[in-house]
Each structure stands twice: as C-alpha cells, then as structure tokens.
C-alpha cells in the first residue's frame, strides 16, 4: 500500500468530506430540480413559510418535503431561521419565476429527466466519444426538442434566462454605431436582440433559428417593443443564412457542435454573409489549462459531450477554426459579456 495522503485525522476528515460532498452533487441537483418543479420559491417569495404551508401549497407529503427543504438549506439555497420554517437565500431566490433574475426554467431544464437520463451515459460518452443523449433517447438533442414541445419551450426559455446578463452587457458595451442590421444566428427566443435593439434605435435585426428554436421569439420581440424592426426567421444556419445583415452574432452556439460541424457553420457564414460584414462569436473561451476558477465552463463542456457532441474551445482553437474557414480575427475580449467572451472576426480578403 502506498503512503497515506495525510496522517492528520482532522485533515483526513476534511478530505473525506470534500470528496463525499462532490459525489453528493447529483443529490443536490435533484433536490434543486424538484424544488424548481414544485415552485417552492414562488410560495415563499419575500417571507418565511412553514413546511406545513409549503406542503399544502405544493400538494406534497409534509415530512418528506421538510427533509427536502433541510437539504436545500444545507446546500445554501434556503434558510431555516426557526425549526420547520424556511426562507430563501439570494441563490435560492433565483428559482422565483417572477424575478427578473429568474433561472427557474434554466434549472428545470438542466434537471429535467431527459437530461438526467442522458448523463447516466457519461461513461459511454467518455469511452466512445459518442453522444449519450442519443443512446438514451434514440435521436439527437435538437431532433428531440423538435418533437417534445414541453422540453422545447423549457429549453428556449432557459436559454433566454441564461442570456439576460450577457445580452445586457453586449447591448451596453459593444459599439453598434457602424451596424445597420444585426443577424443573431441561433438566436433562440430573441433575448439578445430584445436587449440590443431598444438600446440602439437605429438598428434592425433578424433572430434566425430553427422552427422550434425561434418559436418563442415573436412574443419576446413584441414585449420588447421591437417587433416592427426585428424579424423572427426560421431556417437552417448550415444552409441558408440571411444575406442582408452587416453584423452577425452567434452566441452560445459553437459549443453545441463538433469541430467538423463548427467549421461547416463558419464556412456557411463566410459564403453567405457580405464580405464587408462582421462576425461576433459570443461564448465561453476555455483557459488552456483547467483550474477550480470556473467549474461551470468544464461542466458545460462535459454536458456538450453528453448531449450535443460539441465542446467548449480555447482561444487558440477558435483562432485556428476561424483562420481555416476564411476569417481574420480582429479581437478577442475575454469575459466581455458576463462570463462569456466576444471574438470579433471579419471575412479574410480572398
Ligand atoms: C444553446 S442555444 C443558444 C441560443 C441563444 N443564442 C442563446 O445564447 O441563448 C443554440 C441554438 O441554436 C439553434 N440551432 C441548432 N441547430 C440549428 C440550425 N441547424 N439552424 C438554426 N439554428 C439552430 C437552437 O435551436 C438553439 O436555439
């Protein structure tokens, strides 16, 4: 047997707890997902509620619900200021559906049984490089969304929730003065342009996504008061990219695709966007080496291995891909859009 990691009993306990808490991550995710499904945060809002009231409000078994609530306290989602009475922490308040900072749909989507089922195949993905989602569901992720209206609506809303901070920062921080028409490729429910266009009245826009992806966009554009200058258009971005834009944004899309598909998408952009247009890739840029600084990036990367067959990329990988597909990188602004970065590129001279 090799040497013990430590002979200090207190350190042994600390290391043991650190591992067991990490293993408990799936229990934590299930607990938070059930709380989001039940709408517990909406029942608590600003106050503190008894587990009996919450059980009555959710139609659940009070002793079991109370155990769930205690676990949510243990993971920092809730408080228990007196026995059996529960409030929300600021982290937990993001499960309120009426909050502008809500991540309830995002939580429900990532804790959806269809995604948990896919993640059970992580070992298969690691062994083979294949998508576990397809193994669990018999079709790929976006094909599944196209036939599951409930999950599709949840996905589109979840992406909108996730986009809000980055969308606000792009609207406020990017210089749109030279642009006239912004095309958001894979723009989902239109959350990005719903933040950008109101802040820049001279702009027109197109939210471009698949039929199921763009389904929620008309309502979002209408609510933002920009339906008269922003179109929601359905299509396949590998085939028929709108040709009449001068600024093309692709936000949180490339991580969905393999290198081969990502290059095909960039080639489609290069072939169909005007030679004078600008391309903005907004997304995570992985550091060259992993660390504990931003675990979400690595979760997302693994999530792509499991669900979409895509991957997160480093700056050098993005640069190589853009170079290979006929683009010149003008700038890389790390962390310029919330946790996301902005890579600006233009078609290279022929
Ligand atoms: C991860 S979501 C990102 C959505 C949005 N850009 C955001 O940041 O919230 C990827 C988007 O790509 C869209 N998409 C996937 N395949 C597509 C295709 N072939 N043509 C157009 N859009 C597609 C999906 O419907 C989805 O809305």
């Amino acid at each position: 047997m090799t040497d013990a990691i430590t002979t200090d009993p207190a350190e042994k306990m600390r290391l043991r707890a650190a591992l067991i808490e990490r293993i408990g991550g799936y229990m934590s995710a299930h607990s938070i997902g059930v709380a989001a499904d039940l709408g517990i945060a909406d029942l608590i809002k600003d106050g503190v509620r008894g587990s009996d009231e919450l059980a009555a409000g959710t139609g659940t078994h009070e002793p079991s619900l109370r155990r769930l609530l205690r676990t949510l306290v243990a993971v920092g989602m809730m408080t228990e200021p007196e026995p059996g009475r529960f409030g929300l922490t600021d982290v937990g308040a993001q499960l309120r559906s009426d909050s502008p900072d809500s991540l309830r749909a995002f939580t429900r989507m990532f804790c959806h049984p269809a995604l948990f089922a896919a993640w059970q195949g992580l070992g298969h993905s690691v062994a083979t490089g294949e998508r576990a989602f397809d193994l669990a569901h018999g079709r790929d992720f976006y094909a599944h969304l196209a036939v599951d209206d409930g999950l599709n609506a949840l996905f589109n809303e979840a992406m909108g929730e996730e986009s809000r901070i980055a969308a606000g920062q792009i609207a406020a921080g990017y210089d749109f003065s030279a642009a006239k028409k912004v095309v958001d490729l894979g723009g989902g429910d239109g959350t990005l342009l719903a933040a950008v266009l109101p802040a820049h009245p001279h702009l027109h826009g197109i939210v471009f996504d698949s039929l199921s992806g763009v389904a929620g966009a008309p309502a979002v554009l209408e609510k933002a008061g920009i339906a008269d200058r922003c179109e929601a258009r359905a299509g396949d971005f590998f085939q028929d990219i709108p040709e009449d834009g001068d600024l093309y944004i692709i936000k949180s899309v490339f991580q969905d695709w393999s290198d081969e598909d990502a290059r095909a998408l960039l080639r489609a952009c290069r072939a169909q966007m005007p030679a004078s247009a600008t391309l903005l890739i907004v997304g995570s840029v992985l550091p060259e080496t992993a660390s504990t600084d931003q675990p979400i990036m690595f979760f997302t990367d693994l999530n792509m291995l499991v669900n979409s067959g895509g991957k997160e990329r480093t700056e050098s990988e993005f640069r190589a891909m853009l170079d290979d597909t006929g683009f010149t990188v003008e700038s890389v602004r790390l962390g310029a859009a919330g946790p996301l970065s902005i890579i600006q590129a233009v078609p290279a001279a022929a």
Side-chain angles (χ1 to χ4, degrees):
M1 206 172 174
T2 53
D3 290 345
I5 299 165
T6 174
T7 53
D8 176 357
E11 180 62 359
K12 265 190 206 296
M13 288 300 289
R14 194 190 67 74
L15 293 174
R16 182 177 290 238
L19 176 62
I20 293 172
E21 273 175 28
R22 284 167 173 77
I23 296 168
Y26 78 91
M27 300 179 202
S28 172
H30 276 280
S31 303
I32 295 167
V34 169
D37 284 343
L38 289 173
I40 285 173
D42 288 337
L43 295 175
I44 295 182
K45 293 205 170 165
D46 300 327
V48 173
R49 296 279 178 279
S51 54
D52 49 349
E53 295 169 90
L54 294 172
T58 54
T60 51
H61 178 240
E62 190 277 330
S64 302
L65 179 69
R66 186 167 170 177
R67 292 162 70 179
L68 176 79
L69 298 171
R70 289 190 317 202
T71 305
L72 292 167
V73 173
V75 297
M77 299 288 294
M78 301 187 72
T79 60
E80 190 178 13
E82 51 187 292
R85 293 185 64 74
F86 296 89
L88 295 171
T89 62
D90 287 347
V91 179
Q94 295 171 107
L95 294 187
R96 282 175 56 171
S97 46
D98 64 349
S99 163
D101 302 314
S102 182
L103 286 173
R104 183 178 176 213
F106 184 84
T107 303
R108 296 185 68 211
M109 208 279 293
F110 277 98
C111 296
H112 192 280
L115 273 82
F116 281 137
W119 266 84
Q120 284 185 328
L122 173 64
H124 173 80
S125 289
V126 170
T128 63
E130 293 170 3
R131 297 184 291 248
F133 189 94
D134 301 30
L135 193 68
H137 300 289
R139 55 188 160 229
D140 72 46
F141 183 72
Y142 285 116
H144 189 82
L145 290 187
V147 296
D148 184 336
D149 290 346
L151 186 58
N152 184 56
L154 199 55
F155 176 78
N156 290 335
E157 193 184 345
M159 293 302 103
E161 286 180 352
E162 193 205 14
S163 284
R164 252 183 244 135
I165 291 180
Q169 293 196 347
I170 293 167
Y174 185 78
D175 180 2
F176 287 95
S177 56
K180 292 191 177 66
K181 192 170 218 177
V182 185
V183 180
D184 185 9
L185 293 171
D189 76 354
T191 295
L192 176 57
L193 291 190
V196 169
L197 265 60
H200 300 278
H202 71 284
L203 286 178
H204 285 71
I206 301 174
V207 179
F208 186 86
D209 206 296
S210 64
L211 196 57
S212 54
V214 84
V220 171
L221 301 178
E222 188 68 45
K223 192 170 168 206
I226 53 165
D228 57 335
R229 56 193 174 100
C230 189
E231 180 193 344
R233 195 184 295 178
D236 176 356
F237 54 32
F238 290 107
Q239 305 288 337
D240 53 3
I241 286 170
E243 296 183 359
D244 51 339
D246 49 17
L247 181 65
Y248 290 74
I249 305 183
I250 308 186
K251 180 186 160 297
S252 302
V253 165
F254 279 100
Q255 81 284 349
D256 278 347
W257 302 100
S258 67
D259 286 338
E260 192 187 347
D261 289 334
R263 279 179 161 73
L265 177 51
L266 283 171
R267 282 198 190 92
C269 291
R270 178 69 183 85
Q272 290 171 63
M273 59 189 255
S276 57
T278 297
L279 176 69
L280 294 187
I281 297 177
V282 181
S284 290
V285 174
L286 280 185
E288 297 290 340
T289 56
S291 73
T292 52
D293 286 351
Q294 296 190 50
I296 294 170
M297 281 190 186
F298 298 97
F299 288 149
T300 307
D301 181 51
L302 217 46
N303 191 47
M304 295 303 136
L305 172 68
V306 166
N307 286 319
S308 72
K311 60 192 256 200
E312 297 288 8
R313 293 178 173 85
T314 61
E315 180 177 334
S316 53
E317 288 173 320
F318 272 116
R319 282 182 180 276
M321 227 166 52
L322 285 158
D323 197 45
D324 286 355
T325 53
F327 285 94
T328 301
V329 174
E330 288 193 326
S331 63
V332 176
R333 276 167 281 169
L334 296 176
L340 306 180
S341 302
I342 303 179
I343 300 174
Q344 178 166 320
V346 292

